[in-house]
Amino acid sequence: MISLMPLFDTHAHLHFPDFADDLDGVLERARAAGLRGMVTIGTDRESNRATVAMAEHIPDVWASVGIHPHDAGEATEEDFAEMERLARSPRVVGVGEMGLDFFRDLSPRDVQARVFRRQLDFARAVAKPVIIHCRDAHPEALAILDEARVGEIGGVMHCFSADIAVARRCLDLGLMISLAGPVTYKNARALPDVARYVPMDRLVLETDCPYLTPTPHRGKRNEPAYVALTAAHVAALRGVEVETLGEATTRNAARLFGLALA
Ligand SMILES: [Zn+2]
Ligand SMILES: [Zn+2]
C-alpha cells in the first residue's frame, strides 16, 4: 500500500525484543505507510533506557519514559531517579505510560495510585505531557487526573477502552483520546461510538505495538504501519476521507508532543 497522507503512531513499544530482529524493515514499512513519526513508550527502568537510546539514533522516533502500573509495585527510588534523569533528554516528549490497571492487578492498587500521582507531579515539573494507561479503573484514574489538574499538564488517554461517558470526562479534563486496534474488532463494544464522538481536534491514533494488532492482521505481531488500518476504520466510522483523518490526527499528535513535523 502506498499512501501519501500523514499518519502518526502516538504509542508504540519499538524497543521491545519483538522488533530486535527486523527494526529497520518495520521502520521502512511505517514510513512507506505515511508515518511522520512514532513515540516509543517506556514502562520500567530498563525499557526507559532503551526508548531514549533508540530515539537518540532515529530521527522520526521519539521517546517517553515512565513506570507502568504493572511495574509500580517493584519500582525503586533508583528507578525514579533514572527516569527523571532520562526525561531531561530533548528526545523525550512525554512521561508515561503511567496509570492504573485493575484488570491484571499486577501491583497493589494503593501502590499503583501512589506511583501514578508521583509521575503526574513529575510531568508537571518538567512540562511534558502524560501518557495514561487505564484498564478497569476509570473512576479511580479520572479522580486522580482531576485532582492533579491534568489539563494544565496535557496528555492522552492511550488505547481508550471505555464508553462515551468516560470519553466525555477525559475531554472535560483536557485530555486527548487515542484509539488503537481494538476499535477495528468485531467485539469493539462502545469504541465505534467513541470514534464518532471525539471531536476531530482531540483524537489521535496509535498501535500499542507489538500488541493489539488491528483487523485483518489480528493475532500477528503489530507494527506502526498498521496504524493506517485503524485510521481507515475510524475514518469510515466518522464518514470522512481517510486523508482528512490522517492530517487531523497527525496535527493533534504534533501539538500534544510539541513537535514540528517535517
Ligand atoms: Zn498501556
Ligand atoms: Zn503500551
mmCIF file of all heavy atoms in Angstrom, residues 122-142:
data_model
loop_
_atom_site.group_PDB
_atom_site.id
_atom_site.type_symbol
_atom_site.label_atom_id
_atom_site.label_comp_id
_atom_site.label_asym_id
_atom_site.label_seq_id
_atom_site.Cartn_x
_atom_site.Cartn_y
_atom_site.Cartn_z
ATOM 1 N N PHE A 122 5.668 14.830 38.555
ATOM 2 C CA PHE A 122 6.939 14.950 37.836
ATOM 3 C C PHE A 122 6.726 15.544 36.432
ATOM 4 O O PHE A 122 7.471 16.420 35.991
ATOM 5 C CB PHE A 122 7.626 13.583 37.742
ATOM 6 C CG PHE A 122 8.856 13.605 36.895
ATOM 7 C CD1 PHE A 122 9.974 14.326 37.293
ATOM 8 C CD2 PHE A 122 8.898 12.945 35.674
ATOM 9 C CE1 PHE A 122 11.113 14.391 36.492
ATOM 10 C CE2 PHE A 122 10.032 12.997 34.873
ATOM 11 C CZ PHE A 122 11.140 13.723 35.287
ATOM 12 N N ALA A 123 5.687 15.080 35.750
ATOM 13 C CA ALA A 123 5.404 15.591 34.403
ATOM 14 C C ALA A 123 5.122 17.094 34.454
ATOM 15 O O ALA A 123 5.555 17.852 33.576
ATOM 16 C CB ALA A 123 4.218 14.850 33.799
ATOM 17 N N ARG A 124 4.384 17.518 35.475
ATOM 18 C CA ARG A 124 4.117 18.954 35.634
ATOM 19 C C ARG A 124 5.437 19.714 35.821
ATOM 20 O O ARG A 124 5.659 20.755 35.212
ATOM 21 C CB ARG A 124 3.197 19.179 36.834
ATOM 22 C CG ARG A 124 2.939 20.639 37.145
ATOM 23 C CD ARG A 124 2.069 20.800 38.376
ATOM 24 N NE ARG A 124 0.691 20.396 38.151
ATOM 25 C CZ ARG A 124 -0.240 21.169 37.565
ATOM 26 N NH1 ARG A 124 0.065 22.392 37.184
ATOM 27 N NH2 ARG A 124 -1.466 20.735 37.389
ATOM 28 N N ALA A 125 6.322 19.150 36.635
ATOM 29 C CA ALA A 125 7.597 19.825 36.925
ATOM 30 C C ALA A 125 8.460 19.957 35.666
ATOM 31 O O ALA A 125 9.149 20.969 35.500
ATOM 32 C CB ALA A 125 8.351 19.072 38.017
ATOM 33 N N VAL A 126 8.441 18.946 34.801
ATOM 34 C CA VAL A 126 9.279 19.016 33.594
ATOM 35 C C VAL A 126 8.497 19.508 32.375
ATOM 36 O O VAL A 126 9.045 19.585 31.276
ATOM 37 C CB VAL A 126 9.962 17.669 33.260
ATOM 38 C CG1 VAL A 126 10.991 17.324 34.323
ATOM 39 C CG2 VAL A 126 8.961 16.543 33.078
ATOM 40 N N ALA A 127 7.218 19.829 32.577
ATOM 41 C CA ALA A 127 6.384 20.385 31.499
ATOM 42 C C ALA A 127 6.356 19.479 30.268
ATOM 43 O O ALA A 127 6.556 19.932 29.141
ATOM 44 C CB ALA A 127 6.844 21.798 31.136
ATOM 45 N N LYS A 128 6.105 18.187 30.516
ATOM 46 C CA LYS A 128 5.924 17.249 29.393
ATOM 47 C C LYS A 128 4.578 16.542 29.571
ATOM 48 O O LYS A 128 4.168 16.264 30.696
ATOM 49 C CB LYS A 128 7.084 16.244 29.342
ATOM 50 C CG LYS A 128 8.416 16.956 29.037
ATOM 51 C CD LYS A 128 9.556 16.048 28.621
ATOM 52 C CE LYS A 128 10.801 16.904 28.390
ATOM 53 N NZ LYS A 128 11.931 16.199 27.808
ATOM 54 N N PRO A 129 3.883 16.267 28.469
ATOM 55 C CA PRO A 129 2.551 15.665 28.563
ATOM 56 C C PRO A 129 2.598 14.220 29.072
ATOM 57 O O PRO A 129 3.633 13.553 28.973
ATOM 58 C CB PRO A 129 2.041 15.710 27.119
ATOM 59 C CG PRO A 129 3.277 15.703 26.291
ATOM 60 C CD PRO A 129 4.315 16.460 27.079
ATOM 61 N N VAL A 130 1.462 13.775 29.607
ATOM 62 C CA VAL A 130 1.400 12.444 30.214
ATOM 63 C C VAL A 130 0.686 11.449 29.296
ATOM 64 O O VAL A 130 -0.264 11.801 28.602
ATOM 65 C CB VAL A 130 0.696 12.487 31.585
ATOM 66 C CG1 VAL A 130 1.589 13.188 32.593
ATOM 67 C CG2 VAL A 130 -0.665 13.157 31.522
ATOM 68 N N ILE A 131 1.174 10.211 29.320
ATOM 69 C CA ILE A 131 0.555 9.112 28.579
ATOM 70 C C ILE A 131 -0.071 8.192 29.615
ATOM 71 O O ILE A 131 0.627 7.563 30.411
ATOM 72 C CB ILE A 131 1.604 8.364 27.725
ATOM 73 C CG1 ILE A 131 2.112 9.279 26.616
ATOM 74 C CG2 ILE A 131 0.985 7.118 27.094
ATOM 75 C CD1 ILE A 131 3.474 9.818 26.822
ATOM 76 N N ILE A 132 -1.414 8.140 29.598
ATOM 77 C CA ILE A 132 -2.152 7.437 30.645
ATOM 78 C C ILE A 132 -2.600 6.060 30.170
ATOM 79 O O ILE A 132 -3.230 5.932 29.115
ATOM 80 C CB ILE A 132 -3.426 8.218 31.056
ATOM 81 C CG1 ILE A 132 -3.131 9.690 31.315
ATOM 82 C CG2 ILE A 132 -4.092 7.556 32.271
ATOM 83 C CD1 ILE A 132 -2.242 9.961 32.460
ATOM 84 N N HIS A 133 -2.305 5.052 30.991
ATOM 85 C CA HIS A 133 -2.800 3.689 30.783
ATOM 86 C C HIS A 133 -3.880 3.443 31.834
ATOM 87 O O HIS A 133 -3.641 3.622 33.024
ATOM 88 C CB HIS A 133 -1.648 2.694 30.961
ATOM 89 C CG HIS A 133 -2.060 1.256 30.999
ATOM 90 N ND1 HIS A 133 -1.824 0.378 29.954
ATOM 91 C CD2 HIS A 133 -2.692 0.531 31.958
ATOM 92 C CE1 HIS A 133 -2.295 -0.825 30.269
ATOM 93 N NE2 HIS A 133 -2.827 -0.759 31.484
ATOM 94 N N CYS A 134 -5.073 3.028 31.400
ATOM 95 C CA CYS A 134 -6.143 2.785 32.358
ATOM 96 C C CYS A 134 -6.964 1.587 31.926
ATOM 97 O O CYS A 134 -7.508 1.567 30.826
ATOM 98 C CB CYS A 134 -7.048 4.010 32.463
ATOM 99 S SG CYS A 134 -8.378 3.759 33.629
ATOM 100 N N ARG A 135 -7.024 0.606 32.785
ATOM 101 C CA ARG A 135 -7.835 -0.581 32.483
ATOM 102 C C ARG A 135 -8.667 -0.960 33.690
ATOM 103 O O ARG A 135 -8.138 -1.193 34.779
ATOM 104 C CB ARG A 135 -6.917 -1.739 32.086
ATOM 105 C CG ARG A 135 -7.464 -2.315 30.801
ATOM 106 C CD ARG A 135 -6.693 -3.371 30.151
ATOM 107 N NE ARG A 135 -7.648 -4.347 29.605
ATOM 108 C CZ ARG A 135 -7.331 -5.563 29.279
ATOM 109 N NH1 ARG A 135 -6.111 -5.998 29.432
ATOM 110 N NH2 ARG A 135 -8.249 -6.376 28.798
ATOM 111 N N ASP A 136 -9.982 -0.979 33.492
ATOM 112 C CA ASP A 136 -10.940 -1.343 34.558
ATOM 113 C C ASP A 136 -10.744 -0.508 35.819
ATOM 114 O O ASP A 136 -10.931 -1.012 36.932
ATOM 115 C CB ASP A 136 -10.830 -2.836 34.899
ATOM 116 C CG ASP A 136 -11.422 -3.709 33.800
ATOM 117 O OD1 ASP A 136 -11.869 -3.157 32.773
ATOM 118 O OD2 ASP A 136 -11.427 -4.936 33.967
ATOM 119 N N ALA A 137 -10.358 0.755 35.651
ATOM 120 C CA ALA A 137 -10.108 1.615 36.818
ATOM 121 C C ALA A 137 -10.473 3.059 36.490
ATOM 122 O O ALA A 137 -9.869 3.986 37.047
ATOM 123 C CB ALA A 137 -8.634 1.517 37.213
ATOM 124 N N HIS A 138 -11.452 3.262 35.609
ATOM 125 C CA HIS A 138 -11.702 4.631 35.150
ATOM 126 C C HIS A 138 -12.172 5.587 36.246
ATOM 127 O O HIS A 138 -11.660 6.710 36.298
ATOM 128 C CB HIS A 138 -12.629 4.627 33.929
ATOM 129 C CG HIS A 138 -11.927 4.145 32.686
ATOM 130 N ND1 HIS A 138 -11.964 2.827 32.280
ATOM 131 C CD2 HIS A 138 -11.132 4.792 31.811
ATOM 132 C CE1 HIS A 138 -11.220 2.691 31.182
ATOM 133 N NE2 HIS A 138 -10.707 3.861 30.876
ATOM 134 N N PRO A 139 -13.083 5.200 37.142
ATOM 135 C CA PRO A 139 -13.482 6.185 38.173
ATOM 136 C C PRO A 139 -12.291 6.635 39.019
ATOM 137 O O PRO A 139 -12.114 7.847 39.264
ATOM 138 C CB PRO A 139 -14.511 5.419 39.022
ATOM 139 C CG PRO A 139 -14.999 4.315 38.136
ATOM 140 C CD PRO A 139 -13.842 3.956 37.243
ATOM 141 N N GLU A 140 -11.447 5.672 39.398
ATOM 142 C CA GLU A 140 -10.298 5.998 40.250
ATOM 143 C C GLU A 140 -9.272 6.829 39.481
ATOM 144 O O GLU A 140 -8.728 7.811 40.008
ATOM 145 C CB GLU A 140 -9.637 4.700 40.743
ATOM 146 C CG GLU A 140 -10.520 3.849 41.653
ATOM 147 C CD GLU A 140 -11.479 2.905 40.918
ATOM 148 O OE1 GLU A 140 -11.569 2.972 39.660
ATOM 149 O OE2 GLU A 140 -12.139 2.104 41.605
ATOM 150 N N ALA A 141 -9.001 6.462 38.237
ATOM 151 C CA ALA A 141 -7.997 7.191 37.447
ATOM 152 C C ALA A 141 -8.471 8.614 37.143
ATOM 153 O O ALA A 141 -7.689 9.574 37.236
ATOM 154 C CB ALA A 141 -7.697 6.449 36.147
ATOM 155 N N LEU A 142 -9.753 8.753 36.812
ATOM 156 C CA LEU A 142 -10.265 10.096 36.497
ATOM 157 C C LEU A 142 -10.216 10.989 37.731
ATOM 158 O O LEU A 142 -9.918 12.193 37.617
ATOM 159 C CB LEU A 142 -11.694 9.992 35.947
ATOM 160 C CG LEU A 142 -11.782 9.374 34.541
ATOM 161 C CD1 LEU A 142 -13.219 9.004 34.198
ATOM 162 C CD2 LEU A 142 -11.208 10.318 33.486
#
